[in-house]
Amino acid sequence: MDTMNAHTPRTGPDARPPAGLVLSGITLTYPDGAARLTALDDVSLTVPAGTVTAVVGPSGSGKSSLLAVAATLITPDRGRVVIDGTDTAGLRRAELTALRRTRVGMVFQQPNLLPSLTAVEQLQVMAHLDGRPPRAARQRALDLLDAVGLADQAARRPHRLSGGQRQRVNIARALMNEPAVLLVDEPTSALDHERGAAVLDLLGTLTRRRGTATVLVTHDRAHLDAVDAVVDVLDGRLSPRPSPLPGR
Ligand code: ADP
Ligand code: MG
């Protein structure tokens, strides 16, 4: 039977691919009338476990496309996506789905919480989808809510939470299945400056504590002192730039 690692290289210096996230030579095009629009143009990015890389660029530069490729939701025209040491090329659809569910956490711009569920139930649903025992899931959900500073809000439904609190539930939910890779799309766009800073600070803390390889995409240059690396994206091309805090 094939395993998740069936496609990882077995020889040479790359025999054991690193944990974290590796994108290499990614090109992605979309149909655009009679032609194709190039959303990602030969993009390569390595995000080690336990670090946050911010990808910063204006609207339409390809940020969400980059996350969709990293999440294996879209297959690029060219290039490789390696998640926690597993090369996703050639995995069957069911294997990709399993990899996504167990190894990838996603935080979208809008929290998309279910209105009828309490904060702790929003998280428990994730474990339920994964077929995990409910009792352990509840404890893990409560622990995660505690980690994002919402221990006392566990029984609240979304309409009784603030925007910042909803985004924290969203982040906790993405961590529920202990992902190796955490993909975060403009998490602060609906928040004021102070709450935005708090969310980025939280992402940094959770990333280090849980060893996720975190990609944060944003058009907002604020709060980037909390991340380990920053790359700019423009018209689907990445360019690295110096760390926001030289000498750190
Ligand atoms: P960003 O998240 O930085 O705003 P996107 O990745 O959403 O950028 O979009 C990058 C480019 O690809 C834009 O020109 C956008 O219009 C185009 N695009 C995004 N999604 C699709 C799609 N599903 N079909 C066609 N074009 C798309
Ligand atoms: Mg986007």
Side-chain angles (χ1 to χ4, degrees):
M1 200 177 96
D2 282 352
T3 69
M4 279 294 185
N5 289 313
H7 302 276
T8 53
R10 291 187 179 79
T11 55
D14 294 325
R16 290 212 49 198
L21 173 68
V22 180
L23 304 179
S24 56
I26 302 286
T27 294
L28 173 70
T29 65
Y30 295 114
D32 183 37
R36 312 271 313 170
L37 180 152
T38 301
L40 297 172
D41 188 0
D42 195 19
V43 165
S44 296
L45 180 67
T46 296
V47 184
T51 67
V52 182
T53 293
V55 176
V56 187
S59 178
S61 56
K63 303 184 300 296
S64 294
S65 298
L66 179 76
L67 292 190
V69 168
T72 74
L73 293 169
I74 303 180
T75 305
D77 302 45
R78 277 194 297 282
R80 298 196 324 150
V81 179
V82 182
I83 292 174
D84 195 24
T86 299
D87 189 339
T88 61
L91 289 188
R92 294 198 215 93
R93 187 181 294 265
E95 292 172 318
L96 271 185
T97 304
L99 180 76
R100 210 181 292 130
R101 199 176 58 225
T102 57
R103 306 276 68 206
V104 180
M106 281 173 271
V107 177
F108 296 106
Q109 195 164 345
Q110 295 300 330
N112 291 322
L113 300 177
L114 298 164
S116 61
L117 299 187
T118 64
V120 69
E121 288 166 351
Q122 311 277 347
L123 274 61
Q124 285 177 258
V125 164
M126 300 301 290
H128 180 71
L129 294 175
D130 214 21
R132 299 194 186 197
R135 182 174 301 222
R138 185 172 178 85
Q139 190 53 52
R140 179 162 169 74
L142 290 169
D143 290 347
L144 276 169
L145 286 178
D146 189 27
V148 300
L150 291 178
D152 52 352
Q153 313 289 324
R156 293 209 166 179
R157 294 192 165 79
H159 71 278
R160 298 210 42 222
L161 299 170
S162 70
Q165 288 173 332
R166 284 198 286 270
Q167 193 55 287
R168 282 165 185 267
V169 174
N170 196 17
I171 291 167
R173 181 175 60 177
L175 292 168
M176 193 59 193
N177 293 339
E178 300 169 79
V181 171
L182 183 62
L183 305 170
V184 189
D185 199 347
E186 311 225 27
T188 62
S189 59
L191 303 177
D192 64 32
H193 188 83
E194 195 179 328
R195 283 177 222 291
V199 162
L200 285 213
D201 198 47
L202 173 67
L203 280 172
T205 304
L206 293 170
T207 295
R208 282 186 292 278
R209 206 178 282 160
R210 291 170 190 276
T212 58
T214 301
V215 184
L216 162 78
V217 307
T218 179
H219 66 272
D220 182 1
R221 288 172 189 276
H223 321 308
L224 292 183
D225 50 337
V227 307
D228 299 288
V230 181
V231 294
D232 286 300
V233 58
L234 189 64
D235 293 337
R237 288 194 201 94
L238 291 194
S239 56
R241 59 168 154 154
S243 160
L245 279 186
R248 209 174 104 181

